[in-house]
Every structure is written in C-alpha cells, then in structure tokens.
Amino acid sequence: MHTMESLMKQLEQLGIDGSGTLLIHSSMKSIGPVEGGADTVLDAFTSHMQEGLLVLPTHTWSYINEEHPKFYVDQSPVCVGILPELFRKRPGVVRSLHPTHSVAALGRDSIAFTRDDHHFDTPCARGSSWGKLLDRRATILLVGVDLKRNTFIHGIEEWVDIPGRLTDGHEKLYTVLPDGTEIPVPSRRHCGLSWSEHFWKVDEVLESQGAMHKGRFGDAVVRVCDAAAVTDLLTEMLRDNPDLFSDNQPLEGQHAEGRVRL
C-alpha cells in the first residue's frame, strides 16, 4: 500500500523541481493501491509543488462540440481521468476558459497562467497555457500513460504548422462562467487521423537525447519530460519530416538510433 510519504519520496527521486511548473497526465489505476486513494495522490502532488505551479489537463473535447457547444467552467466534467476531475474542484484551483482543452492550475501565477486560453481558436496555441509550459521550461509528468497522452506534442505540431492537423472552419462554442456569462469561443479542432496514437514513435529518441527519463510513482511507470528539450528535438524532427506522426511505423535511420543533431 502506497502512502503520502512514500509517494512524496518517489517525487523527490524523480528529480522534479518543486518550485517550477509541473503538468501531469495520469492514470490513477496504474498507481496501484494508495492509502486514502486519489485524494492522497493529489495531496502528494500539491505538497511537492507548494512553492511552484501544479497543472492538470481538464479537457472536455470528447463531448463539447457544435451539437453540445457550451462549456461550463465550474461544472463540465473532465474526460481525461479521475485525478484532474477531483483536482479541478479543489479550493484555490483555477480552471482556464478554453472550451475543449482547458487546464486547471494551483500555485504560483495560476491566474496569469490560465487567463488567456479562450482568446485563441486552436486547442494548443503558442500563447495559451500549452505554450506557457514552454516559456516556463516546465516538466511534463506522464504517470502510467505514454507519449500518446502527451497533449503538449499536439502543441508542437501546431506551432510548427504541420498541415492536416486542424479543421479549416470553426465550431461555434461557448464558455459559460459561474455567473452565467457566455463567452463565444469560435474553435478549430483536431482532425484527420488519431495523430497522437503515433507519438510513441519518439519515446526512445526523447530518452536517448536526455529530453525524457523514466521512473516510478506508486506502481506506475512514469515519463518525466523536459518541455523545452522535447520542443527543440521534435521541432527539428518535424521540420525535417512533417509526416513524422502520419503513420504508426517505427522510426528508422539516424532518429531511431538516437543521433539527432540538436
């Protein structure tokens, strides 16, 4: 049985800067039995990051669309797991206003970090929270999930302007504030193939180039990603090969062998 103390120790062993910025994608089930359950896991994260900024994705893309266009900031449930769903309801947590790709943040600069997302018409705009992760040289922690769940890579594709990733047209979506105010947020969406299902291809490259390392949190295998290093590496790879994530075949040649030039 994992405890608050044992989980805190593992976070220290992973080398996560408690005064920095940490975004977490997670599978609670993968962590195994924890004394106190999911709330203890969140307590461990918030305690470790008490001098920094803790961020979890609170996405709603699976059901917010033109047929169901209203995103209620304080009510719309998360479609990416129990930990972010519980986290968004905690005292002091601030949720951003993007109708499909919101995040929730707690700690230093949380209001400034989350305030701009609804001003952009794409899921992971460079000026949104996803781009601010790069500005803040954040750590991205994947707990029991692999790179296929790393939304930040969608952001890199967007910033490099890989064709075929976003719709040309906009859906008429709305963000509804707790006081009932409705904010129109015309939004382009991810489209085409399930591109993220191909992100696993760069796992070995990221690790061999020092942009990611692996460890344990509870029973889960975790990937600790350096947002800036991941961006540098994948930007080069995508510019060299815009079709990098267009198929599900393993990498070949110099990228697969870890001889990427940085």
Side-chain angles (χ1 to χ4, degrees):
M1 178 77 70
H2 303 291
T3 65
M4 173 80 166
E5 292 72 23
S6 67
L7 294 177
M8 291 280 293
K9 184 176 181 180
Q10 286 181 308
L11 289 173
E12 292 175 5
Q13 292 170 340
L14 289 169
I16 295 170
D17 180 5
S19 61
T21 298
L22 176 68
L23 178 132
I24 301 171
H25 290 282
S26 59
S27 161
M28 178 62 202
K29 182 179 179 180
S30 72
I31 298 170
V34 177
E35 185 179 279
D39 280 314
T40 296
V41 174
L42 290 176
D43 288 343
F45 288 144
T46 55
S47 181
H48 186 82
M49 297 302 299
Q50 60 184 321
E51 302 298 325
L53 181 68
L54 176 63
V55 186
L56 274 73
T58 50
H59 296 172
T60 52
W61 47 259
S62 70
Y63 66 92
I64 299 295
N65 51 48
E66 200 148 33
E67 288 72 39
H68 301 89
K70 293 185 179 182
F71 163 61
Y72 295 85
V73 178
D74 61 339
Q75 299 177 30
S76 292
V78 174
C79 67
V80 287
I82 184 62
L83 290 176
E85 174 64 13
L86 293 175
F87 180 68
R88 74 172 181 87
K89 300 176 182 178
R90 287 194 159 201
V93 171
V94 181
R95 191 179 193 181
S96 71
L97 305 184
H98 193 281
T100 61
H101 284 70
S102 66
V103 300
L106 177 67
R108 192 182 69 238
D109 305 326
S110 59
I111 294 176
F113 182 81
T114 56
R115 68 184 173 196
D116 298 321
D117 289 12
H118 61 299
H119 294 151
F120 303 98
D121 68 346
T122 60
C124 304
R126 183 64 181 83
S128 73
S129 296
W130 299 99
K132 291 175 185 177
L133 292 171
L134 174 57
D135 296 334
R136 298 169 73 100
R137 304 188 72 84
T139 297
I140 299 172
L141 182 65
L142 308 176
V143 179
V145 296
D146 62 18
L147 290 174
K148 292 183 287 187
R149 298 297 175 263
N150 191 347
T151 302
F152 186 75
I153 299 178
H154 278 303
I156 299 172
E157 286 195 306
E158 187 174 319
W159 310 332
V160 178
D161 197 20
I162 301 300
R165 296 306 194 257
L166 297 170
T167 57
D168 293 327
H170 293 76
E171 288 185 332
K172 295 180 180 180
L173 305 183
Y174 300 87
T175 293
V176 184
L177 304 182
D179 66 2
T181 300
E182 293 188 6
I183 303 172
V185 188
S187 299
R188 299 169 67 195
R189 298 184 71 99
H190 290 132
C191 66
L193 300 175
S194 297
W195 310 106
S196 60
E197 293 300 306
H198 307 160
F199 290 169
W200 64 270
K201 296 168 60 169
V202 296
D203 193 273
E204 292 183 11
V205 175
L206 295 183
E207 190 170 17
S208 68
Q209 295 295 314
M212 180 183 80
H213 66 272
K214 295 175 183 174
R216 288 275 180 180
F217 181 76
D219 294 342
V221 173
V222 301
R223 289 164 169 81
V224 184
C225 304
D226 179 325
V230 169
T231 301
D232 288 345
L233 183 57
L234 294 189
T235 295
E236 178 183 344
M237 293 177 72
L238 284 164
R239 285 177 175 162
D240 180 58
N241 177 19
D243 292 324
L244 176 64
F245 296 124
S246 294
D247 62 52
N248 216 26
Q249 299 303 310
L251 297 181
E252 296 179 359
Q254 66 172 12
H255 291 319
E257 295 169 9
R259 295 199 298 269
V260 181
R261 184 184 70 260
L262 295 178

